[in-house]
Structures are given as structure tokens and as C-alpha cells.
Amino acid sequence: MTQPRWQGIFPAITTKFHADESIDAEGTARHIDFQIRNGIHGLVTCGSLGEASTLTLEEKLQVAKIALEAADGRIPVLANVSETSTREALRYVDGANKLGVAGFMVMPSVIYVADAREAMLNVRTIANAAQKPIMVYNNPVAYRVDLKPAHMLELADCEWIAAIKESSDDIRRITDLRNTVGDRYQLFLGVDDLAYEGLALGCDGLLAGVGCAFPRETVALYDLMKAGRFAEALKLYQWMTPMLHLDVSTKLVQNLKLIDVLVGVGSEHMRRPRLPLIGQERAAIEAIVKKALATRPVQYQSVVS
């Protein structure tokens, strides 16, 4: 198989809901179109930020369909696989394949903490069933499953595995991966506030969270880094960093949906037990975003309409 060349900014999109917690198809499509018009290179549906754990399998397929229709072939749409069992993951992959997704991002099976042997077999089984390019999501901080460079070397014979989303929170892992697996995989950095560092170390792209509300700014960071304009990129990154910290939180959904509202590109509705932020938590984020908007670099500003 000829591997796709995934690179650039792939937002892990939020799932938009109505006040009654039903999926807001129009709002989700509108937000995706906003991001595409501002230059993103691909997207992933129903990840952690997309509240996957609160969605049924059928609802995740519904979101994938909405994304495919909104993208209309302009960018690749990857469907995130985060089922509680390999069996359910295969059922989801079959449904998403029938919709025509470009590939999949594969998280560890949620709830159960697999060891490396179990996690690798899970990835292999899903990849071989999907018969489409796979991005392996490695996030030992959140999901307590860690596929280290040696494990990814062992998986290198699986032709369908094309990329890694590395979210170990240890920036040294990027160099360790390159030294171990070379260019076998495309490497995406999945921790918002390590974006500059990851790109400086040669990552092919970013799985962005705050990029959902600031897509053009995030694309500009990527472009500047790839062009070797590191001083300009650093200034932009420093402006973004207070907001990027909000992605690295157990309340990332609440934080980033509030950012969407403050920027004017989304709603704050989410699935309970999550609730919108209140009090000092809310005020602190409002202050961060207010300052960011007041000092926003005009030359990189996302266009809403």
C-alpha cells in the first residue's frame, strides 16, 4: 500500500450539541467548514475532545457522516476509534468504511488498561480489518497505555499503520521515535502546549485542540516552523500558549468549548455529566481568551465569515 502523506494541522474537532444534548448537525458542519476555510489540512472526528465516551456507536457514525459531507473532499476525514472492546471497534470501523472515511485514529480500548501485548494486537486487528491508513494514538498520561518506540518498531510490518499521534507529554519521545523507527511513520504531536517543540524536532503535524477556534493561527505556526522562520513562529506560539495550556486538562472539553463561544465559532452545549464552567474557573479562562483576542496577530487571524 502507498501510505498517504498526512501532514499539517489536523484538529480533533468538538462535537456540537443542542441544549437537549442531541447532536447539532448544522453547527458541527458549520464549524468544520470554518476550519477548512482557514487552512486546516485534515481532521479527526469523535476523539477525547469530541466527547466520544458519551456517544453511541451510531452517533459517532452520524458525526463522521456530517464531517464527510461538510469537508466535501477538500481534506481527509479520519474517524477516531475508541470503543471499549476490539469487537465493537471492528463494528464501528465497518460502518465508517462504508461512509468513506480516509482513515482512522485508533485509541487504546477505553476503560480497560491494556498491556503492550494486548494494545499492539488491538491496533493490528483494527488496522487489518479497516484496510485503510491508521494513526495510532499514544497517550499514556490519559489512558495509561504506552506504546513505546520499541513497540512501534514491532508494529512496523503492519502496512496499514501510517502515523502516530504522540501525546506522552515527554518531548524526548519524538527524537526517540525517529531514532528507533526512522521515517516509517508520520509523527503528529498531540499535546497543544508542546506544538513548537514538536515541530522543531521534526514532527509532520499537529493534532490540535485550540486550533478548532484558531485554525489559521495554528496553520501559520506550522507553516512558519516548516519554513525555518523560528523567531516569528516563537512569537506566535508565545501568544497562543496560555490558551494551549487549557487543552492539557481533565476539563479540556469544557475549556475549549468555552473558547469556541468566546471566539464566536461554536456553542457550549455538552453531554452530562460535563457542565459549562462557572465561577473562578470560567472567569480565569475568559480573562485568558480576552487578552489573546486583544493582542491577536492580525496577519494570521482566522476569518469567521
Side-chain angles (χ1 to χ4, degrees), residues 47-265:
S48 310
L49 184 57
E51 299 178 70
S53 62
T54 72
L55 298 168
T56 66
L57 186 148
E58 290 73 21
E59 285 176 322
K60 289 179 219 182
L61 292 175
Q62 180 186 350
V63 174
K65 186 174 186 290
I66 292 165
L68 285 163
E69 291 174 352
D72 195 24
R74 290 177 288 175
I75 59 169
V77 172
L78 278 60
N80 180 61
V81 183
S82 58
E83 309 315 306
T84 55
S85 69
T86 305
R87 182 187 180 96
E88 279 296 282
L90 297 183
R91 193 161 74 90
Y92 174 66
V93 163
D94 180 63
N97 260 340
K98 289 173 180 174
L99 292 174
V101 297
F104 297 90
M105 185 171 79
V106 179
M107 287 170 55
S109 295
V110 296
I111 300 177
Y112 176 68
V113 179
D115 64 22
R117 178 178 65 96
E118 294 169 323
M120 285 192 290
L121 181 58
N122 185 57
V123 168
R124 280 188 185 276
T125 304
I126 293 169
N128 289 328
Q131 298 282 291
K132 281 189 177 175
I134 298 294
M135 179 185 293
V136 176
Y137 180 13
N138 190 54
N139 188 339
V141 177
Y143 301 110
R144 296 178 289 164
V145 177
D146 192 7
L147 290 178
K148 295 181 169 66
H151 301 131
M152 294 311 303
L153 182 63
E154 191 173 336
L155 287 168
D157 65 324
C158 183
E159 63 174 323
W160 299 106
I161 304 176
I164 303 168
K165 175 188 175 183
E166 181 54 52
S167 299
S168 64
D169 207 26
D170 180 358
I171 198 62
R172 295 170 293 189
R173 179 66 66 86
I174 299 304
T175 301
D176 289 341
L177 278 165
R178 283 292 187 220
N179 285 343
T180 303
V181 301
D183 293 326
R184 167 61 183 83
Y185 305 105
Q186 291 138 57
L187 299 185
F188 280 70
L189 204 288
V191 182
D192 269 23
D193 57 1
L194 288 175
Y196 183 97
E197 294 85 344
L199 291 171
L201 290 171
C203 280
D204 296 287
L206 305 174
L207 250 294
V210 174
C212 291
F214 294 93
R216 190 176 173 209
E217 292 86 342
T218 310
V219 170
L221 176 66
Y222 170 81
D223 288 341
L224 289 169
M225 292 296 290
K226 291 301 177 182
R229 295 162 61 182
F230 302 120
E232 293 173 74
L234 181 58
K235 187 174 181 180
L236 177 60
Y237 183 59
Q238 289 169 335
W239 166 78
M240 294 183 74
T241 293
M243 291 187 294
L244 299 179
H245 289 326
L246 301 176
D247 179 70
V248 188
S249 165
T250 56
K251 291 191 176 181
L252 80 164
V253 174
Q254 294 94 319
N255 293 346
L256 271 62
K257 281 198 166 181
L258 177 53
I259 292 176
D260 282 353
V261 170
L262 296 172
V263 175
V265 296

